[in-house]
Amino acid sequence: MSYDDVARRIADPKAIGLTEELAKKLKIRDPDVTRGQLMSEADERGHVGVYFLAAYVIDDTDLIGKGEIYWWSIPVLGDSDGSVTWNAKLGLPSGAAPTKCGDKEWLKSLSLADPPLLALIPPGDEYAACLIKFALYDDDGAVADVPKAMTAGLTALAGLPLEYPLGKPEAIFQPVRHAIFESLRAKQDDLLIEEDIRLLRNDVSHYGAGMISSHMSALARVYLLAKDEVRTQALAPVTLVKEQAHTFKFGKPIARGGRVAVFARGEVDAGRLGTLTLDQPFLNHIVVDDASAAALSNGITVTAKGNAEVVAFYTSP
């Protein structure tokens, strides 16, 4: 994804729940201005985009029929002393209206080609962590008005003293979550998963850039991708049927120290990298030597063991 695309997402005037008044209070800039700001921050490492790649519902909690699944998220940045901050370039709290999804089904409203951006972490060492409060619910009772709830959450965010770092993460999470939760009347809904997701900065992986992570409860599984906006190449996802094969080949040579990640909704054999299954639908592979780099540069061939949708990523060292 280019910085044009990232800037349009971060500064989208039609973002869920956003009003013109809130955009001014939260200092959401024009996409062209935002693009310039982001590019001026980039160095040899790009910003790390955190994307909601996929969700699998184990139990939608409904006795009859399929559940109505909605989600929301709140991002913050953390300093080394534990204080937190939020700014418009990090990305807004976000969410999505309920969509039908039954037991043991993937949430089909999520696109592997265009997953939602939950947070955009700046390069450099100003911050030590990105934390995202993430929730997935099964709607019960009245239909959940997620756009209205996100307006309430953004209003709560705009009322905070965001011009300087605040205390612990709950200084931002609590008032924004409370506004969203109360607007949704979520006490009547079934909680599938709610978690404070933590990505840490370090010299090796830099917030886990190029890697897929999983977050689970007894009722649902959520998968996130951390993507270096400069160095990660995402190949278009492919849809396969049983015994159909496809070779992913990246546009740049695979190098030692690079990271390869593959994700599948469905069971596939990824050759030397292993097999992806429902219980382990992704793999993260760090290229450890020149021989494996050369082999992977010839392409990654996946063979479906049933209907499957597969996507691959490569992050250069």
PDB file of all heavy atoms in Angstrom, residues 5 7 21 24 37 44 46 52 57 71 73 85 89 122-123 132 145 161 174 195 206 237 253 259 272 283 299 307 312:
ATOM      1  N   ASP A   5      -2.573   5.831  -0.314  1.00  0.00           N
ATOM      2  CA  ASP A   5      -3.658   5.013   0.217  1.00  0.00           C
ATOM      3  C   ASP A   5      -3.748   5.115   1.734  1.00  0.00           C
ATOM      4  O   ASP A   5      -4.839   5.222   2.307  1.00  0.00           O
ATOM      5  CB  ASP A   5      -3.471   3.551  -0.194  1.00  0.00           C
ATOM      6  CG  ASP A   5      -3.575   3.350  -1.695  1.00  0.00           C
ATOM      7  OD1 ASP A   5      -4.419   4.018  -2.315  1.00  0.00           O
ATOM      8  OD2 ASP A   5      -2.809   2.536  -2.234  1.00  0.00           O
ATOM      9  N   ALA A   7      -2.737   7.573   3.665  1.00  0.00           N
ATOM     10  CA  ALA A   7      -3.214   8.903   4.049  1.00  0.00           C
ATOM     11  C   ALA A   7      -4.716   9.027   3.856  1.00  0.00           C
ATOM     12  O   ALA A   7      -5.413   9.644   4.668  1.00  0.00           O
ATOM     13  CB  ALA A   7      -2.476   9.970   3.245  1.00  0.00           C
ATOM     14  N   GLU A  21     -17.523  18.461  12.631  1.00  0.00           N
ATOM     15  CA  GLU A  21     -17.123  19.106  13.876  1.00  0.00           C
ATOM     16  C   GLU A  21     -16.058  18.282  14.602  1.00  0.00           C
ATOM     17  O   GLU A  21     -15.062  18.829  15.106  1.00  0.00           O
ATOM     18  CB  GLU A  21     -18.345  19.300  14.774  1.00  0.00           C
ATOM     19  CG  GLU A  21     -18.025  19.962  16.102  1.00  0.00           C
ATOM     20  CD  GLU A  21     -19.240  20.096  17.005  1.00  0.00           C
ATOM     21  OE1 GLU A  21     -20.330  19.646  16.582  1.00  0.00           O
ATOM     22  OE2 GLU A  21     -19.105  20.623  18.121  1.00  0.00           O
ATOM     23  N   LYS A  24     -12.576  18.508  13.068  1.00  0.00           N
ATOM     24  CA  LYS A  24     -11.840  19.714  13.458  1.00  0.00           C
ATOM     25  C   LYS A  24     -11.266  19.573  14.860  1.00  0.00           C
ATOM     26  O   LYS A  24     -10.100  19.913  15.105  1.00  0.00           O
ATOM     27  CB  LYS A  24     -12.774  20.925  13.391  1.00  0.00           C
ATOM     28  CG  LYS A  24     -13.176  21.327  11.984  1.00  0.00           C
ATOM     29  CD  LYS A  24     -14.125  22.516  11.999  1.00  0.00           C
ATOM     30  CE  LYS A  24     -14.540  22.901  10.580  1.00  0.00           C
ATOM     31  NZ  LYS A  24     -15.503  24.038  10.587  1.00  0.00           N
ATOM     32  N   GLN A  37       2.894  14.741   5.784  1.00  0.00           N
ATOM     33  CA  GLN A  37       3.363  14.542   7.154  1.00  0.00           C
ATOM     34  C   GLN A  37       3.936  13.142   7.342  1.00  0.00           C
ATOM     35  O   GLN A  37       4.999  12.967   7.954  1.00  0.00           O
ATOM     36  CB  GLN A  37       2.213  14.770   8.128  1.00  0.00           C
ATOM     37  CG  GLN A  37       1.738  16.212   8.220  1.00  0.00           C
ATOM     38  CD  GLN A  37       0.524  16.354   9.115  1.00  0.00           C
ATOM     39  OE1 GLN A  37      -0.313  15.453   9.193  1.00  0.00           O
ATOM     40  NE2 GLN A  37       0.421  17.476   9.798  1.00  0.00           N
ATOM     41  N   GLU A  44      14.447   4.791   6.884  1.00  0.00           N
ATOM     42  CA  GLU A  44      14.695   3.506   6.224  1.00  0.00           C
ATOM     43  C   GLU A  44      13.620   2.488   6.583  1.00  0.00           C
ATOM     44  O   GLU A  44      13.413   1.513   5.863  1.00  0.00           O
ATOM     45  CB  GLU A  44      16.081   2.960   6.579  1.00  0.00           C
ATOM     46  CG  GLU A  44      16.271   2.518   8.019  1.00  0.00           C
ATOM     47  CD  GLU A  44      16.638   3.665   8.945  1.00  0.00           C
ATOM     48  OE1 GLU A  44      16.644   4.829   8.474  1.00  0.00           O
ATOM     49  OE2 GLU A  44      16.918   3.402  10.129  1.00  0.00           O
ATOM     50  N   GLY A  46       9.495   2.126   7.305  1.00  0.00           N
ATOM     51  CA  GLY A  46       8.252   2.846   7.132  1.00  0.00           C
ATOM     52  C   GLY A  46       7.404   2.806   8.392  1.00  0.00           C
ATOM     53  O   GLY A  46       7.763   2.187   9.402  1.00  0.00           O
ATOM     54  N   PHE A  52      -6.609  -5.478  10.545  1.00  0.00           N
ATOM     55  CA  PHE A  52      -7.514  -6.537  11.000  1.00  0.00           C
ATOM     56  C   PHE A  52      -7.706  -7.477   9.819  1.00  0.00           C
ATOM     57  O   PHE A  52      -8.548  -7.272   8.964  1.00  0.00           O
ATOM     58  CB  PHE A  52      -8.828  -5.911  11.454  1.00  0.00           C
ATOM     59  CG  PHE A  52      -9.847  -6.873  12.003  1.00  0.00           C
ATOM     60  CD1 PHE A  52      -9.516  -8.180  12.355  1.00  0.00           C
ATOM     61  CD2 PHE A  52     -11.160  -6.464  12.189  1.00  0.00           C
ATOM     62  CE1 PHE A  52     -10.456  -9.065  12.860  1.00  0.00           C
ATOM     63  CE2 PHE A  52     -12.119  -7.331  12.697  1.00  0.00           C
ATOM     64  CZ  PHE A  52     -11.778  -8.626  13.026  1.00  0.00           C
ATOM     65  N   VAL A  57     -15.242 -17.201  13.881  1.00  0.00           N
ATOM     66  CA  VAL A  57     -16.201 -17.325  14.967  1.00  0.00           C
ATOM     67  C   VAL A  57     -16.364 -18.804  15.313  1.00  0.00           C
ATOM     68  O   VAL A  57     -16.833 -19.593  14.487  1.00  0.00           O
ATOM     69  CB  VAL A  57     -17.556 -16.697  14.583  1.00  0.00           C
ATOM     70  CG1 VAL A  57     -18.584 -16.937  15.688  1.00  0.00           C
ATOM     71  CG2 VAL A  57     -17.387 -15.205  14.328  1.00  0.00           C
ATOM     72  N   TRP A  71     -17.682  -5.253  15.444  1.00  0.00           N
ATOM     73  CA  TRP A  71     -16.415  -5.061  16.143  1.00  0.00           C
ATOM     74  C   TRP A  71     -16.098  -3.572  16.265  1.00  0.00           C
ATOM     75  O   TRP A  71     -16.641  -2.750  15.530  1.00  0.00           O
ATOM     76  CB  TRP A  71     -15.257  -5.781  15.436  1.00  0.00           C
ATOM     77  CG  TRP A  71     -14.947  -5.279  14.037  1.00  0.00           C
ATOM     78  CD1 TRP A  71     -15.488  -5.729  12.867  1.00  0.00           C
ATOM     79  CD2 TRP A  71     -14.047  -4.220  13.680  1.00  0.00           C
ATOM     80  NE1 TRP A  71     -14.987  -5.035  11.801  1.00  0.00           N
ATOM     81  CE2 TRP A  71     -14.091  -4.098  12.261  1.00  0.00           C
ATOM     82  CE3 TRP A  71     -13.212  -3.376  14.391  1.00  0.00           C
ATOM     83  CZ2 TRP A  71     -13.325  -3.158  11.571  1.00  0.00           C
ATOM     84  CZ3 TRP A  71     -12.449  -2.438  13.704  1.00  0.00           C
ATOM     85  CH2 TRP A  71     -12.517  -2.337  12.316  1.00  0.00           C
ATOM     86  N   SER A  73     -12.523  -0.853  17.710  1.00  0.00           N
ATOM     87  CA  SER A  73     -11.137  -0.802  18.189  1.00  0.00           C
ATOM     88  C   SER A  73     -10.775   0.624  18.581  1.00  0.00           C
ATOM     89  O   SER A  73     -11.325   1.592  18.048  1.00  0.00           O
ATOM     90  CB  SER A  73     -10.174  -1.316  17.116  1.00  0.00           C
ATOM     91  OG  SER A  73     -10.188  -0.454  15.985  1.00  0.00           O
ATOM     92  N   THR A  85      -0.587   8.335  24.508  1.00  0.00           N
ATOM     93  CA  THR A  85      -1.032   9.492  23.747  1.00  0.00           C
ATOM     94  C   THR A  85      -1.825   9.021  22.538  1.00  0.00           C
ATOM     95  O   THR A  85      -1.785   7.843  22.169  1.00  0.00           O
ATOM     96  CB  THR A  85       0.183  10.337  23.296  1.00  0.00           C
ATOM     97  OG1 THR A  85      -0.279  11.555  22.712  1.00  0.00           O
ATOM     98  CG2 THR A  85       1.023   9.591  22.274  1.00  0.00           C
ATOM     99  N   LYS A  89      -2.638  11.092  13.295  1.00  0.00           N
ATOM    100  CA  LYS A  89      -1.849  10.266  12.379  1.00  0.00           C
ATOM    101  C   LYS A  89      -1.795   8.806  12.812  1.00  0.00           C
ATOM    102  O   LYS A  89      -1.395   7.943  12.032  1.00  0.00           O
ATOM    103  CB  LYS A  89      -0.431  10.836  12.247  1.00  0.00           C
ATOM    104  CG  LYS A  89      -0.372  12.168  11.515  1.00  0.00           C
ATOM    105  CD  LYS A  89       1.040  12.688  11.423  1.00  0.00           C
ATOM    106  CE  LYS A  89       1.577  13.114  12.769  1.00  0.00           C
ATOM    107  NZ  LYS A  89       2.950  13.648  12.693  1.00  0.00           N
ATOM    108  N   PRO A 122       4.230   5.314  13.971  1.00  0.00           N
ATOM    109  CA  PRO A 122       5.318   6.039  13.308  1.00  0.00           C
ATOM    110  C   PRO A 122       6.656   5.321  13.460  1.00  0.00           C
ATOM    111  O   PRO A 122       6.881   4.594  14.424  1.00  0.00           O
ATOM    112  CB  PRO A 122       5.330   7.385  14.030  1.00  0.00           C
ATOM    113  CG  PRO A 122       4.781   7.092  15.390  1.00  0.00           C
ATOM    114  CD  PRO A 122       3.751   6.011  15.174  1.00  0.00           C
ATOM    115  N   PRO A 123       7.567   5.538  12.493  1.00  0.00           N
ATOM    116  CA  PRO A 123       8.924   5.004  12.659  1.00  0.00           C
ATOM    117  C   PRO A 123       9.667   5.809  13.725  1.00  0.00           C
ATOM    118  O   PRO A 123       9.142   6.779  14.267  1.00  0.00           O
ATOM    119  CB  PRO A 123       9.542   5.207  11.266  1.00  0.00           C
ATOM    120  CG  PRO A 123       8.772   6.345  10.679  1.00  0.00           C
ATOM    121  CD  PRO A 123       7.384   6.259  11.240  1.00  0.00           C
ATOM    122  N   ILE A 132      -3.902  -1.515  21.332  1.00  0.00           N
ATOM    123  CA  ILE A 132      -5.195  -1.434  20.670  1.00  0.00           C
ATOM    124  C   ILE A 132      -6.209  -2.203  21.509  1.00  0.00           C
ATOM    125  O   ILE A 132      -6.059  -3.404  21.720  1.00  0.00           O
ATOM    126  CB  ILE A 132      -5.142  -2.035  19.253  1.00  0.00           C
ATOM    127  CG1 ILE A 132      -4.095  -1.313  18.406  1.00  0.00           C
ATOM    128  CG2 ILE A 132      -6.517  -1.963  18.587  1.00  0.00           C
ATOM    129  CD1 ILE A 132      -3.811  -1.983  17.069  1.00  0.00           C
ATOM    130  N   ASP A 145     -26.237   0.026  16.441  1.00  0.00           N
ATOM    131  CA  ASP A 145     -25.946   1.169  15.572  1.00  0.00           C
ATOM    132  C   ASP A 145     -24.480   1.550  15.781  1.00  0.00           C
ATOM    133  O   ASP A 145     -24.166   2.452  16.575  1.00  0.00           O
ATOM    134  CB  ASP A 145     -26.877   2.330  15.899  1.00  0.00           C
ATOM    135  CG  ASP A 145     -26.793   3.470  14.887  1.00  0.00           C
ATOM    136  OD1 ASP A 145     -25.778   3.534  14.160  1.00  0.00           O
ATOM    137  OD2 ASP A 145     -27.729   4.296  14.835  1.00  0.00           O
ATOM    138  N   PRO A 161      -7.735  15.774  27.103  1.00  0.00           N
ATOM    139  CA  PRO A 161      -6.603  16.688  26.870  1.00  0.00           C
ATOM    140  C   PRO A 161      -5.486  15.988  26.088  1.00  0.00           C
ATOM    141  O   PRO A 161      -4.471  15.565  26.649  1.00  0.00           O
ATOM    142  CB  PRO A 161      -6.163  17.059  28.290  1.00  0.00           C
ATOM    143  CG  PRO A 161      -6.548  15.872  29.123  1.00  0.00           C
ATOM    144  CD  PRO A 161      -7.804  15.326  28.511  1.00  0.00           C
ATOM    145  N   GLN A 174     -10.739   3.946  28.774  1.00  0.00           N
ATOM    146  CA  GLN A 174     -11.947   3.867  29.584  1.00  0.00           C
ATOM    147  C   GLN A 174     -13.053   4.806  29.099  1.00  0.00           C
ATOM    148  O   GLN A 174     -14.189   4.359  28.875  1.00  0.00           O
ATOM    149  CB  GLN A 174     -11.611   4.126  31.055  1.00  0.00           C
ATOM    150  CG  GLN A 174     -12.719   3.744  32.034  1.00  0.00           C
ATOM    151  CD  GLN A 174     -13.818   4.800  32.116  1.00  0.00           C
ATOM    152  OE1 GLN A 174     -13.543   5.997  31.935  1.00  0.00           O
ATOM    153  NE2 GLN A 174     -15.046   4.372  32.381  1.00  0.00           N
ATOM    154  N   GLU A 195      -9.897  -7.552  24.100  1.00  0.00           N
ATOM    155  CA  GLU A 195      -8.498  -7.708  24.506  1.00  0.00           C
ATOM    156  C   GLU A 195      -7.734  -6.417  24.251  1.00  0.00           C
ATOM    157  O   GLU A 195      -8.017  -5.687  23.290  1.00  0.00           O
ATOM    158  CB  GLU A 195      -7.861  -8.851  23.711  1.00  0.00           C
ATOM    159  CG  GLU A 195      -6.444  -9.181  24.128  1.00  0.00           C
ATOM    160  CD  GLU A 195      -5.928 -10.463  23.488  1.00  0.00           C
ATOM    161  OE1 GLU A 195      -6.751 -11.255  23.003  1.00  0.00           O
ATOM    162  OE2 GLU A 195      -4.712 -10.658  23.486  1.00  0.00           O
ATOM    163  N   HIS A 206      10.657  -4.495  15.195  1.00  0.00           N
ATOM    164  CA  HIS A 206      10.003  -3.188  15.080  1.00  0.00           C
ATOM    165  C   HIS A 206       8.485  -3.351  15.020  1.00  0.00           C
ATOM    166  O   HIS A 206       7.875  -3.270  13.965  1.00  0.00           O
ATOM    167  CB  HIS A 206      10.539  -2.441  13.864  1.00  0.00           C
ATOM    168  CG  HIS A 206      10.165  -0.977  13.845  1.00  0.00           C
ATOM    169  ND1 HIS A 206      10.550  -0.124  14.835  1.00  0.00           N
ATOM    170  CD2 HIS A 206       9.432  -0.248  12.966  1.00  0.00           C
ATOM    171  CE1 HIS A 206      10.087   1.088  14.552  1.00  0.00           C
ATOM    172  NE2 HIS A 206       9.399   1.035  13.431  1.00  0.00           N
ATOM    173  N   PRO A 237      -4.608 -11.717  -2.889  1.00  0.00           N
ATOM    174  CA  PRO A 237      -5.079 -13.039  -2.449  1.00  0.00           C
ATOM    175  C   PRO A 237      -5.638 -13.843  -3.611  1.00  0.00           C
ATOM    176  O   PRO A 237      -6.114 -13.279  -4.604  1.00  0.00           O
ATOM    177  CB  PRO A 237      -6.172 -12.703  -1.433  1.00  0.00           C
ATOM    178  CG  PRO A 237      -6.597 -11.319  -1.764  1.00  0.00           C
ATOM    179  CD  PRO A 237      -5.401 -10.625  -2.319  1.00  0.00           C
ATOM    180  N   PRO A 253      13.690  -9.626  -4.912  1.00  0.00           N
ATOM    181  CA  PRO A 253      14.362 -10.849  -4.455  1.00  0.00           C
ATOM    182  C   PRO A 253      14.215 -11.042  -2.950  1.00  0.00           C
ATOM    183  O   PRO A 253      14.264 -10.081  -2.180  1.00  0.00           O
ATOM    184  CB  PRO A 253      15.827 -10.610  -4.845  1.00  0.00           C
ATOM    185  CG  PRO A 253      15.792  -9.550  -5.896  1.00  0.00           C
ATOM    186  CD  PRO A 253      14.619  -8.679  -5.557  1.00  0.00           C
ATOM    187  N   ARG A 259      11.272 -11.338   5.996  1.00  0.00           N
ATOM    188  CA  ARG A 259      10.175 -12.066   6.635  1.00  0.00           C
ATOM    189  C   ARG A 259       9.103 -12.395   5.611  1.00  0.00           C
ATOM    190  O   ARG A 259       8.672 -11.530   4.848  1.00  0.00           O
ATOM    191  CB  ARG A 259       9.566 -11.246   7.762  1.00  0.00           C
ATOM    192  CG  ARG A 259      10.513 -11.004   8.921  1.00  0.00           C
ATOM    193  CD  ARG A 259       9.851 -10.138   9.993  1.00  0.00           C
ATOM    194  NE  ARG A 259      10.756  -9.949  11.117  1.00  0.00           N
ATOM    195  CZ  ARG A 259      11.677  -9.008  11.180  1.00  0.00           C
ATOM    196  NH1 ARG A 259      11.820  -8.154  10.175  1.00  0.00           N
ATOM    197  NH2 ARG A 259      12.474  -8.909  12.218  1.00  0.00           N
ATOM    198  N   ARG A 272       7.714 -26.393   1.677  1.00  0.00           N
ATOM    199  CA  ARG A 272       8.770 -26.373   2.690  1.00  0.00           C
ATOM    200  C   ARG A 272       8.407 -25.513   3.899  1.00  0.00           C
ATOM    201  O   ARG A 272       9.000 -25.664   4.975  1.00  0.00           O
ATOM    202  CB  ARG A 272      10.082 -25.876   2.076  1.00  0.00           C
ATOM    203  CG  ARG A 272      10.018 -24.451   1.547  1.00  0.00           C
ATOM    204  CD  ARG A 272      11.314 -24.038   0.860  1.00  0.00           C
ATOM    205  NE  ARG A 272      12.381 -23.886   1.825  1.00  0.00           N
ATOM    206  CZ  ARG A 272      13.655 -24.099   1.552  1.00  0.00           C
ATOM    207  NH1 ARG A 272      14.016 -24.537   0.356  1.00  0.00           N
ATOM    208  NH2 ARG A 272      14.576 -23.912   2.467  1.00  0.00           N
ATOM    209  N   LEU A 283       1.445 -18.587   8.876  1.00  0.00           N
ATOM    210  CA  LEU A 283       2.829 -18.891   9.204  1.00  0.00           C
ATOM    211  C   LEU A 283       3.652 -17.624   9.055  1.00  0.00           C
ATOM    212  O   LEU A 283       3.385 -16.763   8.216  1.00  0.00           O
ATOM    213  CB  LEU A 283       3.385 -20.014   8.321  1.00  0.00           C
ATOM    214  CG  LEU A 283       3.443 -19.803   6.808  1.00  0.00           C
ATOM    215  CD1 LEU A 283       4.724 -19.083   6.375  1.00  0.00           C
ATOM    216  CD2 LEU A 283       3.338 -21.136   6.092  1.00  0.00           C
ATOM    217  N   GLY A 299       9.631 -18.672  -5.657  1.00  0.00           N
ATOM    218  CA  GLY A 299       8.196 -18.631  -5.432  1.00  0.00           C
ATOM    219  C   GLY A 299       7.762 -19.549  -4.301  1.00  0.00           C
ATOM    220  O   GLY A 299       8.482 -20.476  -3.917  1.00  0.00           O
ATOM    221  N   ASN A 307     -11.591 -25.949  -0.413  1.00  0.00           N
ATOM    222  CA  ASN A 307     -11.760 -24.553  -0.782  1.00  0.00           C
ATOM    223  C   ASN A 307     -10.946 -23.673   0.158  1.00  0.00           C
ATOM    224  O   ASN A 307     -10.968 -23.850   1.382  1.00  0.00           O
ATOM    225  CB  ASN A 307     -13.230 -24.154  -0.722  1.00  0.00           C
ATOM    226  CG  ASN A 307     -14.076 -24.856  -1.773  1.00  0.00           C
ATOM    227  OD1 ASN A 307     -13.554 -25.319  -2.784  1.00  0.00           O
ATOM    228  ND2 ASN A 307     -15.370 -24.938  -1.543  1.00  0.00           N
ATOM    229  N   ALA A 312      -0.245 -13.707   0.704  1.00  0.00           N
ATOM    230  CA  ALA A 312       1.154 -13.803   1.117  1.00  0.00           C
ATOM    231  C   ALA A 312       1.785 -12.412   1.207  1.00  0.00           C
ATOM    232  O   ALA A 312       1.413 -11.506   0.441  1.00  0.00           O
ATOM    233  CB  ALA A 312       1.951 -14.686   0.155  1.00  0.00           C
TER     234      ALA A 312
END
